[in-house]
Amino acid sequence: MALVAQAPSTRSAAGLPLDQIDVSDPKLYEDDVWQPLFARLRREAPVHYCRQSRYGPYWSICRYQDIVAVEVDHATFSSQLGGIQVEDQPQGQERPSFIRMDPPRHTEQRRTVAPVAAPTNLAHYETIIRERTARVLDELPRNTTFDWVDRVSIELTGMMLATLFDFPFAERRKLTYWSDVAIANVDAPDAPVRSEDERFEELKRMGAYFVALRDARAKEPPKLDLVSMMVHSPATREMAPLEFVGNLALLIVGGNDTTRNSMSGGLLALSQNPEQWAKLRANPALVPSLVAETIRYQTPVIHMRRTATRDVEFGGKLIRKGDKVVMWYVSGNRDESVIDNPDAFIIDRAKPRQHLSYGAGIHRCVGDRLADLQLRILWEEILRRDLDIEVMGPPRRLYSNFIRGIRALPVRINA
Ligand code: HEM
């Protein structure tokens, strides 16, 4: 726990004994100082054991190919035994959902939800997303500083979620709030909930809201929104209320924080790399590649965790049955043996989609194409308007080891 007490500048990667490195400290991500620690782990201990942390002992998987190997071996590395975060959910307050399941239940429930982000459905969403994006951009203030996260990233992802669930549009910020509640670190100074009990109570409120929505949809013919899909599919129709809420929380967080932070992270990265911005302006056809690079560079999900189902030798280490195994996507995405010059933001890479931000294997993100679509449209519309967006100060980052979040980003549109 040596890392917790130290200021970022003294949290030197070189100075710490290897066995004292604890990359689960959320402060590392709030201060954005995790890069050298992982560079060292990739070099010296790519499969690393942390004996002591506030979340108990855990293994870190730091290299790209090792992460893929864990992802695809879901028989050995279970999502069900202990969940998907280094921090265990408190006993009795688990939020079951299919991301925390192994086959066969995972397969059945995923099959029900996946069509919402299938290409045919995406074509239908494209028009709505473009109209809404255009409106949000046109209503932004000019020549005055405002928060990009609040006015653009949250607004657009909130609208998208409301569309996915066919949720009452005027109440869409409730979705943003519940998403923040679901992922909050209750120890963070500005956490929306202060204890696990408080979180559980809020999520129960969310559950009650959605159960009412579900009951209403059950009486209507099937539609293409997620609540309707879940209520009309045999795999999810009889779902217990807690599991229903768990799956909703999964979709809300899945569709919200990640995309939101990519919208903020992309703007920040472009403003820090003006030559890349110039390249984009000169060639708007680079937008899809910009989107992929943003998602790699931002890595909105910092880690996913698995639990070993048996003793297994991995990367020359013995991982014991029951051990926590954490795949650090932030590290895999900066693995210099796979990605050239990985710490640089380069919007025209030869293989921009080579990244781990969406995971791999049977749990690979269901909403990847939908997220890509939202980001692509945002950048197309920004370029179409030729907006001169200037970042006016440093971002305020989220205190979390799970979501790499940007809480506020002051910007100004010069006109
Ligand atoms: C930039 C945006 C996004 C990122 C970076 C992201 C990232 C991820 C990651 C890392 C996983 C776990 C993969 C694994 O364990 O191998 C995941 C799973 C998932 N994501 Fe996303 N996601 C994004 C957007 C979305 C959106 C828009 C939705 C909803 C429409 C969504 C829904 C889900 C669901 C339901 C799962 C669970 C899949 C399963 O367990 O089979 N995600 N996502």
Side-chain angles (χ1 to χ4, degrees), residues 6-34:
Q6 291 171 344
S9 57
T10 60
R11 221 185 264 137
S12 136
L16 276 172
L18 264 184
D19 64 358
Q20 278 184 28
I21 292 183
D22 173 12
V23 284
S24 72
D25 177 1
K27 191 88 178 102
L28 290 172
Y29 306 94
E30 185 183 34
D31 294 341
D32 203 31
V33 294
W34 46 271

mmCIF file of all heavy atoms in Angstrom, residues 6-34:
data_model
loop_
_atom_site.group_PDB
_atom_site.id
_atom_site.type_symbol
_atom_site.label_atom_id
_atom_site.label_comp_id
_atom_site.label_asym_id
_atom_site.label_seq_id
_atom_site.Cartn_x
_atom_site.Cartn_y
_atom_site.Cartn_z
ATOM 1 N N GLN A 6 1.759 8.163 -1.103
ATOM 2 C CA GLN A 6 2.740 9.030 -1.748
ATOM 3 C C GLN A 6 2.129 9.959 -2.782
ATOM 4 O O GLN A 6 1.126 9.618 -3.410
ATOM 5 C CB GLN A 6 3.799 8.158 -2.436
ATOM 6 C CG GLN A 6 4.665 7.437 -1.424
ATOM 7 C CD GLN A 6 5.568 6.420 -2.107
ATOM 8 O OE1 GLN A 6 5.370 6.035 -3.244
ATOM 9 N NE2 GLN A 6 6.583 6.008 -1.385
ATOM 10 N N ALA A 7 2.767 11.113 -2.954
ATOM 11 C CA ALA A 7 2.340 12.034 -4.015
ATOM 12 C C ALA A 7 2.745 11.446 -5.347
ATOM 13 O O ALA A 7 3.702 10.687 -5.421
ATOM 14 C CB ALA A 7 3.012 13.381 -3.812
ATOM 15 N N PRO A 8 2.027 11.798 -6.438
ATOM 16 C CA PRO A 8 2.330 11.185 -7.727
ATOM 17 C C PRO A 8 3.785 11.325 -8.134
ATOM 18 O O PRO A 8 4.374 10.399 -8.673
ATOM 19 C CB PRO A 8 1.420 11.939 -8.689
ATOM 20 C CG PRO A 8 0.419 12.647 -7.874
ATOM 21 C CD PRO A 8 0.908 12.698 -6.474
ATOM 22 N N SER A 9 4.377 12.482 -7.869
ATOM 23 C CA SER A 9 5.740 12.711 -8.335
ATOM 24 C C SER A 9 6.737 11.773 -7.664
ATOM 25 O O SER A 9 7.757 11.437 -8.240
ATOM 26 C CB SER A 9 6.137 14.152 -8.070
ATOM 27 O OG SER A 9 5.992 14.407 -6.699
ATOM 28 N N THR A 10 6.443 11.333 -6.439
ATOM 29 C CA THR A 10 7.385 10.450 -5.763
ATOM 30 C C THR A 10 7.017 8.989 -5.953
ATOM 31 O O THR A 10 7.697 8.111 -5.488
ATOM 32 C CB THR A 10 7.418 10.738 -4.249
ATOM 33 O OG1 THR A 10 6.097 10.525 -3.748
ATOM 34 C CG2 THR A 10 7.858 12.136 -3.947
ATOM 35 N N ARG A 11 5.912 8.759 -6.670
ATOM 36 C CA ARG A 11 5.478 7.378 -6.860
ATOM 37 C C ARG A 11 6.252 6.800 -8.028
ATOM 38 O O ARG A 11 5.714 6.415 -9.047
ATOM 39 C CB ARG A 11 3.982 7.402 -7.163
ATOM 40 C CG ARG A 11 3.213 6.307 -6.481
ATOM 41 C CD ARG A 11 1.806 6.343 -6.945
ATOM 42 N NE ARG A 11 0.982 7.084 -6.018
ATOM 43 C CZ ARG A 11 0.074 7.950 -6.403
ATOM 44 N NH1 ARG A 11 -0.076 8.242 -7.666
ATOM 45 N NH2 ARG A 11 -0.685 8.549 -5.528
ATOM 46 N N SER A 12 7.587 6.792 -7.856
ATOM 47 C CA SER A 12 8.425 6.478 -9.001
ATOM 48 C C SER A 12 8.413 4.992 -9.304
ATOM 49 O O SER A 12 8.575 4.155 -8.422
ATOM 50 C CB SER A 12 9.841 6.967 -8.706
ATOM 51 O OG SER A 12 10.771 6.015 -9.089
ATOM 52 N N ALA A 13 8.226 4.687 -10.580
ATOM 53 C CA ALA A 13 8.170 3.287 -10.984
ATOM 54 C C ALA A 13 9.510 2.613 -10.749
ATOM 55 O O ALA A 13 9.585 1.454 -10.382
ATOM 56 C CB ALA A 13 7.807 3.203 -12.450
ATOM 57 N N ALA A 14 10.577 3.352 -10.960
ATOM 58 C CA ALA A 14 11.905 2.756 -10.868
ATOM 59 C C ALA A 14 12.271 2.444 -9.426
ATOM 60 O O ALA A 14 12.946 1.471 -9.132
ATOM 61 C CB ALA A 14 12.932 3.699 -11.483
ATOM 62 N N GLY A 15 11.788 3.278 -8.493
ATOM 63 C CA GLY A 15 12.262 3.173 -7.113
ATOM 64 C C GLY A 15 11.641 2.064 -6.292
ATOM 65 O O GLY A 15 12.243 1.610 -5.321
ATOM 66 N N LEU A 16 10.471 1.597 -6.648
ATOM 67 C CA LEU A 16 9.774 0.638 -5.783
ATOM 68 C C LEU A 16 10.274 -0.789 -5.984
ATOM 69 O O LEU A 16 10.463 -1.205 -7.119
ATOM 70 C CB LEU A 16 8.287 0.642 -6.127
ATOM 71 C CG LEU A 16 7.397 1.692 -5.501
ATOM 72 C CD1 LEU A 16 6.017 1.614 -6.138
ATOM 73 C CD2 LEU A 16 7.290 1.495 -4.001
ATOM 74 N N PRO A 17 10.441 -1.530 -4.887
ATOM 75 C CA PRO A 17 10.691 -2.965 -5.088
ATOM 76 C C PRO A 17 9.492 -3.577 -5.812
ATOM 77 O O PRO A 17 8.351 -3.180 -5.547
ATOM 78 C CB PRO A 17 10.798 -3.519 -3.667
ATOM 79 C CG PRO A 17 10.958 -2.337 -2.769
ATOM 80 C CD PRO A 17 10.388 -1.148 -3.484
ATOM 81 N N LEU A 18 9.769 -4.513 -6.696
ATOM 82 C CA LEU A 18 8.685 -5.093 -7.516
ATOM 83 C C LEU A 18 7.518 -5.593 -6.675
ATOM 84 O O LEU A 18 6.361 -5.402 -7.009
ATOM 85 C CB LEU A 18 9.231 -6.282 -8.309
ATOM 86 C CG LEU A 18 9.695 -6.055 -9.738
ATOM 87 C CD1 LEU A 18 10.094 -7.394 -10.356
ATOM 88 C CD2 LEU A 18 8.627 -5.384 -10.585
ATOM 89 N N ASP A 19 7.855 -6.225 -5.543
ATOM 90 C CA ASP A 19 6.767 -6.844 -4.775
ATOM 91 C C ASP A 19 5.926 -5.828 -4.006
ATOM 92 O O ASP A 19 4.973 -6.180 -3.351
ATOM 93 C CB ASP A 19 7.304 -7.946 -3.845
ATOM 94 C CG ASP A 19 8.235 -7.400 -2.782
ATOM 95 O OD1 ASP A 19 8.488 -6.175 -2.786
ATOM 96 O OD2 ASP A 19 8.696 -8.187 -1.943
ATOM 97 N N GLN A 20 6.305 -4.556 -4.094
ATOM 98 C CA GLN A 20 5.468 -3.540 -3.445
ATOM 99 C C GLN A 20 4.580 -2.791 -4.433
ATOM 100 O O GLN A 20 3.826 -1.905 -4.064
ATOM 101 C CB GLN A 20 6.347 -2.527 -2.722
ATOM 102 C CG GLN A 20 6.786 -3.036 -1.357
ATOM 103 C CD GLN A 20 7.563 -1.975 -0.614
ATOM 104 O OE1 GLN A 20 7.371 -0.788 -0.810
ATOM 105 N NE2 GLN A 20 8.465 -2.429 0.240
ATOM 106 N N ILE A 21 4.700 -3.146 -5.680
ATOM 107 C CA ILE A 21 3.880 -2.439 -6.669
ATOM 108 C C ILE A 21 2.424 -2.907 -6.566
ATOM 109 O O ILE A 21 2.142 -4.104 -6.594
ATOM 110 C CB ILE A 21 4.430 -2.654 -8.101
ATOM 111 C CG1 ILE A 21 5.789 -1.952 -8.216
ATOM 112 C CG2 ILE A 21 3.448 -2.134 -9.154
ATOM 113 C CD1 ILE A 21 6.409 -2.015 -9.596
ATOM 114 N N ASP A 22 1.539 -1.941 -6.401
ATOM 115 C CA ASP A 22 0.104 -2.233 -6.308
ATOM 116 C C ASP A 22 -0.639 -1.333 -7.298
ATOM 117 O O ASP A 22 -0.947 -0.182 -7.000
ATOM 118 C CB ASP A 22 -0.377 -1.971 -4.870
ATOM 119 C CG ASP A 22 -1.885 -2.104 -4.758
ATOM 120 O OD1 ASP A 22 -2.523 -2.600 -5.702
ATOM 121 O OD2 ASP A 22 -2.432 -1.715 -3.700
ATOM 122 N N VAL A 23 -0.908 -1.886 -8.462
ATOM 123 C CA VAL A 23 -1.538 -1.077 -9.514
ATOM 124 C C VAL A 23 -3.057 -0.975 -9.345
ATOM 125 O O VAL A 23 -3.738 -0.408 -10.188
ATOM 126 C CB VAL A 23 -1.182 -1.602 -10.929
ATOM 127 C CG1 VAL A 23 0.222 -1.220 -11.313
ATOM 128 C CG2 VAL A 23 -1.380 -3.108 -11.018
ATOM 129 N N SER A 24 -3.579 -1.497 -8.241
ATOM 130 C CA SER A 24 -5.031 -1.403 -8.028
ATOM 131 C C SER A 24 -5.414 -0.107 -7.316
ATOM 132 O O SER A 24 -6.599 0.153 -7.108
ATOM 133 C CB SER A 24 -5.530 -2.595 -7.205
ATOM 134 O OG SER A 24 -5.117 -2.477 -5.858
ATOM 135 N N ASP A 25 -4.432 0.693 -6.946
ATOM 136 C CA ASP A 25 -4.715 1.941 -6.232
ATOM 137 C C ASP A 25 -5.454 2.931 -7.156
ATOM 138 O O ASP A 25 -4.884 3.404 -8.144
ATOM 139 C CB ASP A 25 -3.361 2.522 -5.779
ATOM 140 C CG ASP A 25 -3.513 3.867 -5.094
ATOM 141 O OD1 ASP A 25 -4.660 4.347 -4.955
ATOM 142 O OD2 ASP A 25 -2.478 4.437 -4.705
ATOM 143 N N PRO A 26 -6.707 3.277 -6.855
ATOM 144 C CA PRO A 26 -7.481 4.147 -7.758
ATOM 145 C C PRO A 26 -6.855 5.521 -7.974
ATOM 146 O O PRO A 26 -7.067 6.163 -9.002
ATOM 147 C CB PRO A 26 -8.832 4.307 -7.044
ATOM 148 C CG PRO A 26 -8.896 3.203 -6.045
ATOM 149 C CD PRO A 26 -7.490 2.875 -5.668
ATOM 150 N N LYS A 27 -6.036 5.939 -7.012
ATOM 151 C CA LYS A 27 -5.400 7.257 -7.118
ATOM 152 C C LYS A 27 -4.473 7.329 -8.335
ATOM 153 O O LYS A 27 -4.287 8.394 -8.939
ATOM 154 C CB LYS A 27 -4.618 7.491 -5.813
ATOM 155 C CG LYS A 27 -4.108 8.873 -5.622
ATOM 156 C CD LYS A 27 -5.147 9.762 -4.921
ATOM 157 C CE LYS A 27 -4.603 11.147 -4.696
ATOM 158 N NZ LYS A 27 -5.109 12.128 -5.650
ATOM 159 N N LEU A 28 -3.873 6.196 -8.683
ATOM 160 C CA LEU A 28 -2.969 6.175 -9.836
ATOM 161 C C LEU A 28 -3.679 6.633 -11.106
ATOM 162 O O LEU A 28 -3.071 7.226 -11.998
ATOM 163 C CB LEU A 28 -2.472 4.744 -10.086
ATOM 164 C CG LEU A 28 -1.505 4.140 -9.080
ATOM 165 C CD1 LEU A 28 -1.301 2.671 -9.388
ATOM 166 C CD2 LEU A 28 -0.183 4.891 -9.125
ATOM 167 N N TYR A 29 -4.977 6.340 -11.170
ATOM 168 C CA TYR A 29 -5.743 6.658 -12.382
ATOM 169 C C TYR A 29 -6.331 8.061 -12.279
ATOM 170 O O TYR A 29 -6.455 8.757 -13.286
ATOM 171 C CB TYR A 29 -6.800 5.567 -12.623
ATOM 172 C CG TYR A 29 -6.110 4.217 -12.655
ATOM 173 C CD1 TYR A 29 -6.022 3.427 -11.506
ATOM 174 C CD2 TYR A 29 -5.436 3.789 -13.794
ATOM 175 C CE1 TYR A 29 -5.307 2.229 -11.506
ATOM 176 C CE2 TYR A 29 -4.717 2.596 -13.805
ATOM 177 C CZ TYR A 29 -4.661 1.827 -12.657
ATOM 178 O OH TYR A 29 -3.936 0.654 -12.666
ATOM 179 N N GLU A 30 -6.643 8.461 -11.074
ATOM 180 C CA GLU A 30 -7.118 9.836 -10.903
ATOM 181 C C GLU A 30 -5.982 10.806 -11.241
ATOM 182 O O GLU A 30 -6.191 11.843 -11.878
ATOM 183 C CB GLU A 30 -7.588 10.071 -9.455
ATOM 184 C CG GLU A 30 -8.205 11.442 -9.261
ATOM 185 C CD GLU A 30 -8.594 11.714 -7.820
ATOM 186 O OE1 GLU A 30 -7.906 11.240 -6.885
ATOM 187 O OE2 GLU A 30 -9.594 12.420 -7.612
ATOM 188 N N ASP A 31 -4.766 10.454 -10.847
ATOM 189 C CA ASP A 31 -3.615 11.323 -11.131
ATOM 190 C C ASP A 31 -2.992 11.029 -12.503
ATOM 191 O O ASP A 31 -2.053 11.709 -12.911
ATOM 192 C CB ASP A 31 -2.540 11.142 -10.044
ATOM 193 C CG ASP A 31 -3.014 11.641 -8.691
ATOM 194 O OD1 ASP A 31 -3.984 12.428 -8.654
ATOM 195 O OD2 ASP A 31 -2.439 11.225 -7.670
ATOM 196 N N ASP A 32 -3.455 9.986 -13.158
ATOM 197 C CA ASP A 32 -2.968 9.594 -14.476
ATOM 198 C C ASP A 32 -1.454 9.343 -14.486
ATOM 199 O O ASP A 32 -0.744 9.808 -15.369
ATOM 200 C CB ASP A 32 -3.343 10.679 -15.514
ATOM 201 C CG ASP A 32 -3.388 10.114 -16.933
ATOM 202 O OD1 ASP A 32 -3.724 8.926 -17.080
ATOM 203 O OD2 ASP A 32 -3.075 10.862 -17.882
ATOM 204 N N VAL A 33 -1.003 8.563 -13.496
ATOM 205 C CA VAL A 33 0.442 8.305 -13.384
ATOM 206 C C VAL A 33 0.762 6.801 -13.426
ATOM 207 O O VAL A 33 1.797 6.369 -12.939
ATOM 208 C CB VAL A 33 1.009 8.916 -12.080
ATOM 209 C CG1 VAL A 33 0.930 10.425 -12.102
ATOM 210 C CG2 VAL A 33 0.285 8.376 -10.843
ATOM 211 N N TRP A 34 -0.105 6.041 -14.041
ATOM 212 C CA TRP A 34 0.042 4.584 -14.048
ATOM 213 C C TRP A 34 1.031 4.092 -15.107
ATOM 214 O O TRP A 34 1.547 2.985 -15.031
ATOM 215 C CB TRP A 34 -1.331 3.934 -14.297
ATOM 216 C CG TRP A 34 -2.075 4.587 -15.432
ATOM 217 C CD1 TRP A 34 -2.923 5.664 -15.343
ATOM 218 C CD2 TRP A 34 -1.993 4.268 -16.826
ATOM 219 N NE1 TRP A 34 -3.388 6.013 -16.596
ATOM 220 C CE2 TRP A 34 -2.840 5.168 -17.534
ATOM 221 C CE3 TRP A 34 -1.309 3.285 -17.562
ATOM 222 C CZ2 TRP A 34 -3.003 5.123 -18.917
ATOM 223 C CZ3 TRP A 34 -1.465 3.249 -18.945
ATOM 224 C CH2 TRP A 34 -2.308 4.160 -19.604
#
